[in-house]
Amino acid sequence: MSRQSGTGAEAVKTLATNRRARHFYHVDDRMECGIALRGTEVKSIKAAQFSFTDSYARIADGELLLVGLHITPYAFGNQFNHDPTRTRKLLAHRDEIRRLHRRVTERGLTLIPLRFYVKSGLVKVELGVCRGKRTFDKREDIKRRDLERDLDRQVRSGQRSL
């Protein structure tokens, strides 16, 4: 069976999103990367048996590396299982890695994984170029969310006055 190259919409299945990242960071830019995985890691990820709460990406020796991703060993993997917390290589073009390296070193930004998903049978990660939020930024976001929620409630209940 061959893949059709002319189809417009590719099926994307989201495995997990990092909602905490939006609370702690301002996301400036996003990029899609592949992940270099070993045998049973793919099966564990597709079964959503992983955690990336404290993970981040860094650039070392011209390579993009994902640190802190915990992939639970596959239940049926026997001796072919992997080390759950090893550093994994992210797959990106050399020019993109250089551009990210410049941005991270000059402006003090951080690379945070925002979302893991399967696209065309391959596991991908959406990497965010993020800037840390300060406490007052977090409070401002919470206040704005509460106001929007209150407005939505008033509109639904039919009240027009504020």
Side-chain angles (χ1 to χ4, degrees):
M1 187 176 233
S2 65
R3 292 184 187 178
Q4 294 179 355
S5 59
T7 58
E10 295 179 2
V12 175
K13 179 185 175 194
T14 300
L15 301 171
T17 57
N18 191 352
R19 293 184 1 210
R20 290 184 70 205
R22 305 224 191 293
H23 179 71
F24 290 111
Y25 300 98
H26 289 290
V27 180
D28 291 343
D29 194 14
R30 302 162 195 254
M31 71 178 281
E32 177 182 84
C33 296
I35 311 172
L37 298 172
R38 295 188 182 149
T40 58
E41 289 177 329
V42 176
K43 291 184 178 199
S44 290
I45 285 186
K46 285 186 177 181
Q49 299 295 315
F50 64 98
S51 171
F52 62 105
T53 53
D54 295 329
S55 64
Y56 62 95
R58 65 182 169 90
I59 300 170
D61 299 326
E63 290 184 343
L64 192 57
L65 303 172
L66 186 61
V67 180
L69 173 67
H70 181 275
I71 301 176
T72 306
Y74 186 59
F76 306 106
N78 57 40
Q79 82 254 22
F80 298 111
N81 265 330
H82 55 276
D83 177 24
T85 57
R86 74 177 180 89
T87 302
R88 292 162 179 90
K89 184 177 176 182
L90 294 176
L91 308 173
H93 290 284
R94 188 177 302 131
D95 293 338
E96 289 178 338
I97 294 174
R98 284 189 196 130
R99 182 178 55 86
L100 286 175
H101 185 65
R102 277 195 303 273
R103 288 184 71 186
V104 168
T105 55
E106 290 175 1
R107 300 183 191 143
L109 300 173
T110 308
L111 301 172
I112 304 291
L114 301 175
R115 179 172 72 120
F116 281 84
Y117 56 95
V118 177
K119 181 177 177 183
S120 300
L122 302 173
V123 177
K124 304 280 187 177
V125 62
E126 183 179 45
L127 202 61
V129 180
C130 302
R131 180 183 321 278
K133 282 187 182 179
R134 298 197 174 124
T135 307
F136 64 86
D137 290 333
K138 294 176 194 175
R139 280 193 228 117
E140 216 172 84
D141 286 347
I142 292 169
K143 190 186 306 181
R144 183 177 38 80
R145 240 187 340 250
D146 288 343
L147 283 173
E148 287 175 2
R149 192 177 303 131
D150 290 342
L151 285 172
D152 286 343
R153 280 189 198 132
Q154 288 178 358
V155 167
R156 275 184 272 148
S157 67
Q159 297 175 356
R160 301 224 179 229
S161 63
L162 295 176

